[in-house]
Amino acid sequence: GAGVSQSPSNKVTEKGKDVELRCDPISGHTALYWYRQSLGQGLEFLIYFQGNSAPDKSGLPSDRFSAERTGGSVSTLTIQRTQQEDSAVYLCASSYQGTGVQETQYFGPGTRLLVL
Amino acid sequence: KQEVTQIPAALSVPEGENLVLNCSFTDSAIYNLQWFRQDPGKGLTSLLLIQSSQREQTSGRLNASLDKSSGRSTLYIAASQPGDSATYLCAVRPGMGAGNNRKLIWGLGTSLAVNP
């Protein structure tokens, strides 16, 4: 079956521009996660959506970052007024709502963002 | 604050060797620990998930152990192959209960090269 897909795969933008990154989770997965992986750094949690519950936004680094999930499926991560330090690989993952192995996260290939 | 450390940062071995990757975490109050594999240009693939109540999990040539009290996990790879070359990441889910917080705390990974 189809895995998690992300678009675009690569994005080059100029400092100050806004960007939108898209994630299509695996069908039936109610949990969706966004992470950021910067060069030489570990994965950094950004935001987590679970069904109809309020999202956990505790990892968003600034108010320039926002995310939404429409219809409990597709999610969009928006970065406003991009800065060079926003350059990173943005990874999306999805999982079932259950516990144990059901919460195994399945990752997309990521979007490589470069802010010039 | 939970911190995850992986040793070594990089490892190069000849094909056929058995090897051990190490992961340590500072706070023993974890719900589960997961090992992932990351291939260049691709997303992460979940390898093994160990619940806090478990001691080990096995999948094929992979065996992961968990010693929660000492804050350690090891990933054992038997009879390594060139196709095992990748970065291996360890991640812990903090907290004692199932809860709704599925934020993962990540190590920086071990970059493994298995030479033919």
Side-chain angles (χ1 to χ4, degrees):
Chain A
V4 178
S5 61
Q6 292 186 246
S7 60
S9 55
N10 292 281
K11 178 71 176 179
V12 181
T13 191
E14 294 179 348
K15 177 182 174 181
K17 295 286 181 69
D18 297 352
V19 295
E20 282 191 355
L21 312 180
R22 177 187 169 104
C23 173
D24 283 271
I26 292 173
S27 177
H29 283 188
T30 58
L32 187 147
Y33 316 75
W34 282 98
Y35 296 92
R36 177 168 72 174
Q37 188 174 32
S38 304
L39 190 62
Q41 300 184 24
L43 270 79
E44 176 186 7
F45 166 81
L46 296 177
I47 188 169
Y48 159 57
F49 295 90
Q50 173 61 296
N52 294 322
S53 302
D56 177 353
K57 304 180 181 180
S58 60
L60 294 178
S62 77
D63 59 8
R64 296 187 295 105
F65 288 72
S66 63
E68 62 178 22
R69 189 178 185 192
T70 55
S73 181
V74 172
S75 177
T76 302
L77 177 69
T78 301
I79 309 174
Q80 296 178 312
R81 304 180 303 281
T82 52
Q83 303 294 314
Q84 289 181 331
E85 61 262 30
D86 299 334
S87 297
V89 177
Y90 289 81
L91 293 163
C92 174
S94 68
S95 74
Y96 287 110
Q97 187 173 348
T99 58
V101 294
Q102 285 194 322
E103 66 177 87
T104 296
Q105 296 181 24
Y106 295 83
F107 281 78
T111 293
R112 285 157 187 76
L113 174 65
L114 177 61
V115 182
L116 301 177
Chain B
K1 178 184 175 184
Q2 178 73 272
E3 293 183 357
V4 179
T5 303
Q6 291 187 247
I7 296 174
L11 184 62
S12 181
V13 300
E15 181 176 5
E17 276 203 7
N18 301 322
L19 51 96
V20 174
L21 308 182
N22 297 292
C23 172
S24 60
F25 45 95
T26 55
D27 188 342
S28 62
I30 66 168
Y31 186 68
N32 63 42
L33 181 145
Q34 301 177 54
W35 283 93
F36 291 84
R37 166 184 175 143
Q38 185 172 30
D39 293 275
K42 298 183 180 180
L44 282 71
T45 301
S46 177
L47 298 174
L48 292 163
L49 183 154
I50 310 177
Q51 295 287 74
S52 61
S53 59
Q54 296 175 324
R55 286 281 190 168
E56 66 177 350
Q57 282 286 337
T58 298
S59 176
R61 293 182 294 107
L62 305 179
N63 175 278
S65 67
L66 174 64
D67 184 344
K68 199 172 70 166
S69 61
S70 67
R72 293 179 184 174
S73 176
T74 60
L75 179 66
Y76 176 82
I77 303 176
S80 58
Q81 303 171 358
D84 294 331
S85 299
T87 296
Y88 290 81
L89 295 163
C90 169
V92 301
R93 179 182 162 190
M96 298 296 287
N100 196 42
N101 182 355
R102 302 197 176 190
K103 183 186 311 183
L104 296 180
I105 309 299
W106 298 79
L108 293 180
T110 292
S111 177
L112 173 65
V114 181
N115 306 305

